[in-house]
């Protein structure tokens, strides 16, 4: 037994690094060299996932074990290929007998028909290497993954997930992260800080228990859920790792659209893990998800409803009484836009005005701007927002007419409030066009705020084609997924 305790008995003693890579010829060599410096690492496998540059050649020159996909098969497939190559390499090592093997000392007696002794290789005591998955663009920072290795080899952690510091140039809207976090919480009761972190060290036993993997970018979400539900110890560990962040341009949005699509698919595989939702199907709604520790505190703002595929049928589904219920449900009218040249009046604010939101805006200003700033805080607090605007977000809305923005947001076919960063994003989009798109969508029920943000980011994409396997009306999740597919297909065409 290890001196560290019973959890570290019969643990892996070595680590194999697996690096999925596509078109990373500029950074892969530095990443490999940095990964080799991690204590315990004695094997580096690079999976070239259909690169069009010299990624494979550079990786082989850096003395990595390289395998190449002829076409791009996605991150999950690259990870699986890397793990298979590690297993093959270990099998070859066992066939060689390992260091110190001698046929004279490890052999059966001669058998009739054979010219010499038969080597006997006993691998019963062999413990497979742990797998450390790294991004190919981490460069010299890859060595900072050492705390993950130490947690798995020395502390008994089964899956160590890297908590990365803020990344330079990151421009995501947070929708995908919130969706994955909410889905993991619903399925397991564990709240991940960075649910999409792909830098992980995992034991082979845990890896095998998580098969088959969810496809594409949903692999991290499925790994976390499958490991937790199988009883393994999953732990997030800070690591000073840095990689190329996804920006907020069109390419970045399409990347996040593909991520969201795959995360939704991964979460759809775990519906059976929430039996309490099925038991209370008649009353369950997305708003009734388990509260997190932060949500239970008065000072903390609740999470934005996510785009997780619901595990129950929509409340506006077909059946006795459905049409009557739908008719009885009040439908808000779309407020008329302010007349041209006439400034819209500032909203007064309701009786339930949230003072906590009011004072979370800009820092105190000197007179005469203080009165205007206070009025600004009041009007922004009355927007349909779930949470507090940061100083930067408040300044970003400085040129926006709060009354007009409030009217346009409330006119959307959406149930629930928006996250503050989503309000900032939507303020820069064509909300009237978004409203028309949501109203015309063949959808039963109202969209969640996260759905509206995703669709707003792809307004330039035409109406998605409904496959023959789906029958209208669709659920909001189905329609949003089709929009994502259409955007990704448009990028790839």
């Amino acid at each position: 037994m290890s001196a560290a305790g019973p959890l570290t008995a019969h643990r892996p003693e070595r680590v194999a690094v697996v690096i999925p890579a596509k078109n990373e010829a500029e950074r892969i060599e530095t990443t490999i060299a940095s990964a080799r410096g991690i204590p315990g690492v004695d094997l580096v496998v690079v999976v070239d996932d259909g690169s069009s540059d010299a990624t494979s050649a550079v990786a082989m020159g850096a003395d990595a074990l390289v395998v190449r996909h002829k076409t791009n098969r996605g991150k999950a497939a690259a990870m699986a290929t890397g793990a298979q190559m590690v297993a093959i390499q270990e099998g070859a090592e066992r066939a060689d007998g390992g260091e110190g093997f001698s046929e004279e000392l490890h052999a059966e007696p001669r058998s009739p028909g054979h010219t010499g002794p038969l080597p006997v290789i006993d691998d019963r005591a062999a413990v497979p290497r742990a797998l450390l998955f790294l991004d190919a663009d981490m460069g010299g920072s890859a060595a900072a993954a050492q705390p993950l290795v130490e947690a798995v080899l020395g502390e008994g952690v089964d899956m160590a997930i890297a908590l990365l510091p803020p990344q330079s140039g990151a421009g995501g809207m947070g929708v995908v992260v919130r969706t994955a976090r909410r889905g993991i919480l619903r399925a397991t009761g564990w709240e991940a800080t960075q649910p999409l972190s792909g830098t992980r060290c995992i034991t082979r036993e845990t890896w095998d228990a998580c098969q088959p993997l969810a496809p594409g970018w949903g692999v991290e979400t499925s790994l976390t859920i499958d490991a937790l539900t199988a009883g393994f110890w999953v732990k997030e560990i800070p690591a000073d790792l840095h990689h190329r962040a996804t920006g907020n341009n069109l390419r970045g949005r399409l990347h996040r659209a593909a991520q969201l699509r795959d995360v939704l698919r991964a979460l759809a595989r775990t519906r059976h893990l929430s039996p309490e939702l099925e038991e209370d199907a008649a009353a369950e709604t997305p708003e009734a998800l388990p509260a997190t520790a932060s949500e239970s505190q008065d000072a903390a703002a609740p999470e934005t409803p996510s785009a997780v595929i619901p595990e129950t049928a929509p409340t506006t589904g077909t059946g006795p009484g459905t049409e009557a219920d739908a008719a009885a449900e009040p439908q808000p009218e779309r407020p008329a836009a302010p007349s041209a040249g006439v400034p819209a009046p500032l909203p007064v604010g309701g009786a339930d005005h949230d003072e906590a939101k009011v004072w979370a805006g800009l820092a105190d200003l000197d007179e005469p701007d203080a009165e205007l700033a206070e009025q600004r805080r009041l009007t922004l607090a009355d927007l349909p927002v779930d949470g507090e605007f940061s100083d930067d977000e408040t300044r970003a809305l400085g040129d926006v007419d709060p009354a007009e923005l409030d009217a346009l947001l409330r006119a959307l076919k959406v149930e629930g409030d928006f996250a503050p960063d989503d309000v900032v994003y939507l303020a820069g989009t064509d909300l009237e066009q978004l409203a028309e798109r949501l109203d015309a969508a063949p959808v039963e029920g109202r969209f969640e705020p996260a759905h509206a943000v995703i669709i707003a980011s792809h307004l330039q994409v035409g109406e998605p084609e409904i496959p023959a396997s789906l029958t209208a009306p669709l659920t909001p999740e189905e329609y949003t997924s089709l929009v994502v597919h259409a955007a990704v297909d448009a990028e790839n065409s």
Side-chain angles (χ1 to χ4, degrees):
M1 182 179 297
S2 169
L7 288 178
T8 59
H10 308 294
R11 303 289 295 182
E13 299 178 353
R14 298 178 296 169
V15 177
V17 173
V18 176
I19 306 176
K22 181 184 178 184
N23 295 333
E24 293 289 352
E26 293 183 4
R27 302 191 183 192
I28 190 66
E29 184 176 10
T30 306
T31 302
I32 293 171
S34 182
R36 285 192 186 281
I38 300 175
V41 171
D42 65 350
L43 175 63
V44 177
V45 177
V46 173
V47 182
D48 184 346
D49 193 27
S51 296
S52 57
D53 64 2
T55 295
S56 289
V58 174
M60 285 188 286
D63 201 25
L65 178 61
V66 179
V67 59
R68 186 175 187 275
H69 292 165
K70 295 182 67 175
T71 59
N72 180 251
R73 295 171 55 190
K75 184 174 184 180
M79 292 173 67
T81 297
Q84 291 171 359
M85 289 303 300
V86 173
I88 292 173
Q89 179 69 15
E90 290 177 338
E93 292 172 356
R94 288 194 296 272
D96 288 339
E99 294 182 6
F101 179 80
S102 171
E103 289 191 1
E104 289 74 17
L105 298 176
H106 306 80
E108 291 180 342
R110 289 177 179 267
S111 298
H114 292 275
T115 59
L118 300 178
V120 178
I121 301 171
D122 185 2
D123 62 352
R124 288 175 296 179
V127 179
R129 291 176 174 89
L131 302 173
L132 174 60
F133 294 97
L134 296 176
D135 290 341
D137 60 355
M138 286 184 166
S141 74
Q146 181 176 341
L148 308 183
V149 173
E150 294 173 346
V152 171
L153 300 190
E155 298 178 17
V157 176
D158 297 306
M159 182 189 296
I161 304 174
L163 284 178
L164 276 63
Q167 302 293 296
S168 175
M173 295 179 293
V175 174
V176 186
V177 173
R178 288 195 300 272
T179 299
R181 180 184 296 125
R182 197 81 165 191
I184 293 171
L185 178 63
R186 167 180 284 181
T188 68
W190 182 71
E191 185 175 19
T193 303
Q194 293 183 8
L196 300 180
S197 175
T199 303
R200 302 176 178 222
C201 189
I202 178 173
T203 66
R204 194 71 59 81
E205 180 185 7
T206 309
W207 171 263
D208 292 340
C210 295
Q211 305 302 309
L213 300 175
W217 300 104
V219 62
E220 291 91 358
T221 302
S222 72
L223 274 174
T224 301
I225 292 175
D226 292 342
L228 287 169
T229 54
F232 293 101
W233 182 10
V234 177
K235 183 179 181 180
E236 293 182 310
I237 298 175
D240 191 21
L241 297 161
H242 299 272
H243 61 84
R244 183 174 53 251
T246 303
N248 202 24
N249 52 20
L250 175 59
R251 182 183 180 123
R253 293 175 193 165
L254 289 171
H255 171 74
R256 286 187 294 277
Q259 279 186 309
L260 179 65
R261 174 199 61 196
D262 292 343
V263 167
L264 288 172
R265 287 174 176 173
L267 293 176
R269 299 165 67 234
T270 65
R271 296 182 189 181
H272 66 285
L273 298 177
S274 300
E276 71 280 1
L277 297 180
E278 298 174 4
E279 293 171 1
D280 301 328
E284 188 66 55
T285 63
E287 287 75 9
L289 292 173
T292 65
S294 60
E295 289 172 336
S296 64
Q297 300 176 4
D298 294 338
E303 282 262 312
T304 301
S306 68
V308 176
I309 297 178
E311 304 182 32
T312 61
T315 56
T316 53
T318 58
T322 299
E323 296 181 2
D325 294 340
E329 180 180 354
Q331 298 294 331
E333 296 182 0
R334 182 180 305 174
S339 303
V342 180
L346 295 174
V348 177
D352 59 345
H353 189 74
D354 191 346
E355 290 294 333
K357 297 179 184 177
V358 173
W359 299 107
L362 292 170
D364 294 338
L365 300 175
D366 295 334
E367 295 291 348
D369 295 332
E371 184 177 350
L372 293 176
E374 181 179 355
Q375 188 177 39
R376 187 71 176 177
R377 295 187 190 101
L378 287 169
T379 56
L380 291 180
D382 285 327
L383 293 173
V385 59
D386 184 6
E388 303 171 350
F389 286 105
S390 67
D391 292 352
D392 289 340
E393 290 165 343
T394 306
R395 283 189 285 269
L397 294 173
D399 296 332
V400 175
D401 184 334
E404 182 178 3
L405 178 60
D406 183 72
L408 291 172
L409 290 174
R410 296 184 187 279
L412 298 175
K413 187 180 176 181
V414 171
E415 182 70 29
D417 293 335
F418 296 90
D421 59 339
D422 289 342
V423 172
V424 174
Y425 174 77
L426 289 174
T429 65
D430 189 338
L431 288 173
E432 291 184 346
Q433 182 182 356
L434 176 61
E436 294 175 358
R437 182 72 172 270
L438 298 182
D439 290 341
V443 167
E444 185 175 51
R446 302 176 74 80
F447 291 89
E448 291 185 9
H451 300 154
V453 174
I454 296 166
I455 296 171
S457 67
H458 304 305
L459 285 176
Q460 75 282 0
V461 179
E463 189 71 22
E465 181 179 352
I466 301 177
S469 58
L470 295 178
T471 303
L474 308 176
T475 66
E477 293 80 12
E478 290 172 335
Y479 181 81
T480 304
S481 180
L482 291 177
V483 171
V484 171
H485 277 285
V488 174
D489 291 342
E491 171 71 5
N492 292 334
S493 61

Short mmCIF file of all heavy atoms in Angstrom, two decimals, residues 1-26:
data_model
loop_
_atom_site.label_atom_id
_atom_site.label_comp_id
_atom_site.label_asym_id
_atom_site.label_seq_id
_atom_site.Cartn_x
_atom_site.Cartn_y
_atom_site.Cartn_z
N MET A 1 0.85 -1.20 0.00
CA MET A 1 0.00 0.00 0.00
C MET A 1 0.88 1.24 0.00
O MET A 1 1.88 1.31 0.69
CB MET A 1 -0.93 0.00 1.22
CG MET A 1 -1.88 1.18 1.29
SD MET A 1 -2.97 1.10 2.74
CE MET A 1 -3.88 -0.39 2.37
N SER A 2 0.41 2.25 -0.75
CA SER A 2 1.19 3.48 -0.83
C SER A 2 1.16 4.21 0.49
O SER A 2 0.22 4.15 1.26
CB SER A 2 0.61 4.38 -1.94
OG SER A 2 1.17 5.66 -1.87
N ALA A 3 2.26 4.94 0.74
CA ALA A 3 2.33 5.73 1.97
C ALA A 3 1.31 6.85 1.98
O ALA A 3 0.98 7.41 3.02
CB ALA A 3 3.74 6.30 2.15
N ALA A 4 0.78 7.19 0.78
CA ALA A 4 -0.19 8.28 0.70
C ALA A 4 -1.57 7.87 1.19
O ALA A 4 -2.42 8.71 1.41
CB ALA A 4 -0.28 8.80 -0.73
N GLY A 5 -1.82 6.58 1.35
CA GLY A 5 -3.11 6.14 1.84
C GLY A 5 -3.71 5.08 0.96
O GLY A 5 -3.21 4.77 -0.13
N PRO A 6 -4.85 4.49 1.38
CA PRO A 6 -5.44 3.39 0.64
C PRO A 6 -5.94 3.77 -0.74
O PRO A 6 -6.02 2.93 -1.63
CB PRO A 6 -6.61 2.95 1.55
CG PRO A 6 -6.90 4.15 2.41
CD PRO A 6 -5.57 4.80 2.62
N LEU A 7 -6.29 5.05 -0.96
CA LEU A 7 -6.80 5.45 -2.26
C LEU A 7 -5.73 5.38 -3.34
O LEU A 7 -6.03 5.35 -4.53
CB LEU A 7 -7.36 6.88 -2.20
CG LEU A 7 -8.69 7.06 -1.45
CD1 LEU A 7 -9.08 8.52 -1.43
CD2 LEU A 7 -9.79 6.23 -2.09
N THR A 8 -4.46 5.37 -2.93
CA THR A 8 -3.39 5.36 -3.92
C THR A 8 -2.76 3.98 -4.07
O THR A 8 -1.72 3.84 -4.72
CB THR A 8 -2.30 6.38 -3.53
OG1 THR A 8 -1.79 6.03 -2.23
CG2 THR A 8 -2.85 7.77 -3.50
N ALA A 9 -3.35 2.95 -3.48
CA ALA A 9 -2.86 1.60 -3.67
C ALA A 9 -3.22 1.11 -5.06
O ALA A 9 -4.33 1.35 -5.54
CB ALA A 9 -3.43 0.67 -2.60
N HIS A 10 -2.30 0.41 -5.70
CA HIS A 10 -2.52 -0.15 -7.04
C HIS A 10 -2.89 0.95 -8.03
O HIS A 10 -3.79 0.77 -8.86
CB HIS A 10 -3.59 -1.24 -7.00
CG HIS A 10 -3.35 -2.28 -5.96
ND1 HIS A 10 -2.29 -3.16 -6.02
CD2 HIS A 10 -4.03 -2.57 -4.82
CE1 HIS A 10 -2.33 -3.96 -4.96
NE2 HIS A 10 -3.37 -3.62 -4.21
N ARG A 11 -2.23 2.08 -7.93
CA ARG A 11 -2.48 3.19 -8.83
C ARG A 11 -1.45 3.18 -9.95
O ARG A 11 -0.38 2.59 -9.84
CB ARG A 11 -2.37 4.52 -8.06
CG ARG A 11 -3.28 4.64 -6.88
CD ARG A 11 -4.71 4.80 -7.30
NE ARG A 11 -4.93 6.05 -8.03
CZ ARG A 11 -6.12 6.44 -8.47
NH1 ARG A 11 -7.18 5.67 -8.29
NH2 ARG A 11 -6.26 7.58 -9.10
N PRO A 12 -1.75 3.87 -11.06
CA PRO A 12 -0.74 3.98 -12.11
C PRO A 12 0.47 4.74 -11.62
O PRO A 12 0.37 5.64 -10.76
CB PRO A 12 -1.48 4.76 -13.22
CG PRO A 12 -2.60 5.45 -12.53
CD PRO A 12 -3.01 4.55 -11.40
N GLU A 13 1.62 4.37 -12.13
CA GLU A 13 2.87 5.03 -11.76
C GLU A 13 3.45 5.85 -12.90
O GLU A 13 4.40 6.61 -12.69
CB GLU A 13 3.90 3.98 -11.31
CG GLU A 13 3.44 3.19 -10.08
CD GLU A 13 4.45 2.13 -9.69
OE1 GLU A 13 5.44 1.94 -10.45
OE2 GLU A 13 4.27 1.50 -8.64
N ARG A 14 2.90 5.66 -14.09
CA ARG A 14 3.38 6.39 -15.26
C ARG A 14 2.20 7.04 -15.97
O ARG A 14 1.04 6.67 -15.77
CB ARG A 14 4.13 5.46 -16.21
CG ARG A 14 5.38 4.82 -15.61
CD ARG A 14 6.02 3.87 -16.61
NE ARG A 14 5.12 2.74 -16.92
CZ ARG A 14 5.32 1.88 -17.91
NH1 ARG A 14 6.38 2.03 -18.71
NH2 ARG A 14 4.48 0.87 -18.11
N VAL A 15 2.53 7.98 -16.84
CA VAL A 15 1.49 8.76 -17.53
C VAL A 15 1.82 8.83 -19.02
O VAL A 15 2.97 9.05 -19.40
CB VAL A 15 1.38 10.19 -16.96
CG1 VAL A 15 0.35 11.01 -17.75
CG2 VAL A 15 0.99 10.14 -15.49
N ALA A 16 0.79 8.64 -19.83
CA ALA A 16 0.90 8.85 -21.28
C ALA A 16 0.13 10.11 -21.65
O ALA A 16 -1.04 10.25 -21.29
CB ALA A 16 0.35 7.65 -22.04
N VAL A 17 0.79 11.01 -22.33
CA VAL A 17 0.14 12.24 -22.78
C VAL A 17 -0.48 11.99 -24.15
O VAL A 17 0.18 11.45 -25.05
CB VAL A 17 1.16 13.40 -22.87
CG1 VAL A 17 0.52 14.63 -23.52
CG2 VAL A 17 1.68 13.74 -21.48
N VAL A 18 -1.74 12.38 -24.31
CA VAL A 18 -2.44 12.27 -25.59
C VAL A 18 -2.80 13.68 -26.04
O VAL A 18 -3.47 14.42 -25.31
CB VAL A 18 -3.71 11.40 -25.46
CG1 VAL A 18 -4.47 11.38 -26.79
CG2 VAL A 18 -3.35 9.99 -25.03
N ILE A 19 -2.36 14.03 -27.26
CA ILE A 19 -2.57 15.39 -27.77
C ILE A 19 -3.33 15.32 -29.09
O ILE A 19 -2.75 15.04 -30.14
CB ILE A 19 -1.23 16.11 -27.99
CG1 ILE A 19 -0.39 16.09 -26.72
CG2 ILE A 19 -1.47 17.55 -28.44
CD1 ILE A 19 0.99 16.72 -26.88
N PRO A 20 -4.66 15.53 -29.09
CA PRO A 20 -5.38 15.67 -30.35
C PRO A 20 -4.96 16.98 -31.03
O PRO A 20 -4.84 18.02 -30.37
CB PRO A 20 -6.86 15.72 -29.93
CG PRO A 20 -6.87 15.18 -28.52
CD PRO A 20 -5.56 15.58 -27.93
N ALA A 21 -4.72 16.94 -32.33
CA ALA A 21 -4.21 18.13 -33.00
C ALA A 21 -4.77 18.24 -34.41
O ALA A 21 -4.90 17.24 -35.11
CB ALA A 21 -2.68 18.09 -33.05
N LYS A 22 -5.07 19.46 -34.79
CA LYS A 22 -5.45 19.74 -36.18
C LYS A 22 -4.84 21.08 -36.57
O LYS A 22 -5.13 22.12 -35.96
CB LYS A 22 -6.98 19.79 -36.34
CG LYS A 22 -7.38 20.07 -37.79
CD LYS A 22 -8.88 20.22 -37.94
CE LYS A 22 -9.24 20.55 -39.40
NZ LYS A 22 -10.68 20.81 -39.58
N ASN A 23 -3.97 21.03 -37.57
CA ASN A 23 -3.32 22.23 -38.10
C ASN A 23 -2.61 23.02 -36.99
O ASN A 23 -2.81 24.23 -36.82
CB ASN A 23 -4.33 23.12 -38.83
CG ASN A 23 -4.90 22.45 -40.06
OD1 ASN A 23 -4.26 21.60 -40.68
ND2 ASN A 23 -6.11 22.82 -40.43
N GLU A 24 -1.78 22.34 -36.23
CA GLU A 24 -1.04 22.96 -35.13
C GLU A 24 0.47 22.81 -35.33
O GLU A 24 1.22 22.64 -34.37
CB GLU A 24 -1.45 22.35 -33.79
CG GLU A 24 -2.86 22.65 -33.38
CD GLU A 24 -3.06 24.12 -32.99
OE1 GLU A 24 -2.05 24.86 -32.90
OE2 GLU A 24 -4.21 24.51 -32.77
N ALA A 25 0.93 22.87 -36.58
CA ALA A 25 2.35 22.68 -36.86
C ALA A 25 3.22 23.71 -36.16
O ALA A 25 4.37 23.43 -35.79
CB ALA A 25 2.59 22.74 -38.38
N GLU A 26 2.70 24.91 -35.93
CA GLU A 26 3.50 25.97 -35.33
C GLU A 26 3.74 25.74 -33.84
O GLU A 26 4.76 26.16 -33.31
CB GLU A 26 2.82 27.33 -35.54
CG GLU A 26 2.77 27.77 -37.01
CD GLU A 26 2.17 29.15 -37.15
OE1 GLU A 26 1.86 29.77 -36.10
OE2 GLU A 26 2.00 29.61 -38.29
#
